[in-house]
Amino acid sequence: MEDELFQQLTYVLNQLVSWFAAGAMVFGGVVPYIPQYRDIRRTQNAEGFSSYVCLVLLVANILRILFRFGRYFETPLLWQSIIMIITMLIMLNLCTSVRVAAELSTKRRVFLDFDWSSFWLWSRFVDYLQCVLTFTAAAGYVTYLLLDSPLYVETLGFLAVFTEAMLGTPQLYCNYQNKSTEGMSIKMVCMWTSGDTFKTAYFLLTQAPVQFWVCGLLQVFVDLAILFQVYYYSRYPQKPVSHTAHTTSAKAL
């Protein structure tokens, strides 16, 4: 009787842990963008947030969803991709409206101009939607044609997680160019690192495809490199710190 009760308690506990881990995977990636969204909306300044982060996350999560058609992975990861895509579109909508309102130039840049110099710098949110839909349609069509090719499917999965793993590199390069981490929240960077560590451990425990956890380790490495920049530029300042700093961040867990 006691053994049966113990087994039931163990089962319930395992289920609760599993549900918590799945929930953390689904919603944990968007958590850092909630205070960032509020900060941009409050200050009407999106200077500290790179819209290219949205581009990287949109591409990575669209490719991940397509990858699932060729190779099954955990459902929480699918929902994570869907929610992240929605979140990035919301961020793009806000950043575009704030940036356009602050621009002095009246020239409008649109997606259908196919001007490479203005790529991902368009003046309307609808142009970003057109680009995302075009990419999704093209990638989906190619995937439909090559879905029976194991090489293509594995390459698609690698590109999806590798793109996401490179998410921190724009911030890393931006810090290097500015010789400063001003405008970047250290708390947020710590959240990136803890989130990526949790995500990589989740990949390993759920036996996710090898591309997932290898690129997860790479993502943790990039996070640590950014944390090193925080230490280095605070210890050896390269330029004067301005009086106004907008605390923003740009990273998925």
Side-chain angles (χ1 to χ4, degrees), residues 193-225:
T193 308
S194 60
D196 291 335
T197 302
F198 170 82
K199 180 172 65 178
T200 304
Y202 181 86
F203 291 157
L204 290 169
L205 292 175
T206 58
Q207 298 181 339
V210 65
Q211 300 99 319
F212 282 55
W213 61 264
V214 168
C215 290
L217 291 174
L218 178 60
Q219 203 166 355
V220 173
F221 174 78
V222 174
D223 295 340
L224 294 176

Side-chain angles (χ1 to χ4, degrees), residues 70-90:
R71 184 172 179 183
Y72 176 83
F73 55 78
E74 291 290 317
T75 301
L77 297 179
L78 174 63
W79 280 108
Q80 181 197 48
S81 293
I82 295 173
I83 292 176
M84 184 59 72
I85 289 173
I86 295 172
T87 302
M88 289 301 100
L89 291 176
I90 293 173

Side-chain angles (χ1 to χ4, degrees), residues 15 32 34 41 56 65 78 82 86 88 102 165-166 172 185 192-193 211 231 250:
Q15 287 293 105
I34 296 175
R41 191 169 184 177
V56 171
I65 292 175
L78 174 63
I82 295 173
I86 295 172
M88 289 301 100
M166 292 292 99
L172 189 72
S185 170
W192 303 342
T193 308
Q211 300 99 319
Y231 164 78

Side-chain angles (χ1 to χ4, degrees), residues 126-195:
V126 67
D127 293 295
Y128 292 95
L129 278 179
Q130 291 173 352
C131 179
V132 171
L133 291 175
T134 300
F135 172 78
T136 303
Y141 181 68
V142 173
T143 301
Y144 173 76
L145 294 177
L146 302 177
L147 195 59
D148 293 331
S149 170
L151 177 61
Y152 173 79
V153 172
E154 294 302 320
T155 302
L156 184 66
F158 174 78
L159 288 176
V161 290
F162 181 76
T163 302
E164 185 176 359
M166 292 292 99
L167 178 61
T169 55
Q171 185 67 59
L172 189 72
Y173 181 69
C174 180
N175 294 341
Y176 172 76
Q177 276 192 318
N178 296 334
K179 305 298 181 185
S180 170
T181 56
E182 179 186 354
M184 185 185 67
S185 170
I186 299 177
K187 292 181 180 179
M188 291 297 100
V189 179
C190 292
M191 287 180 64
W192 303 342
T193 308
S194 60

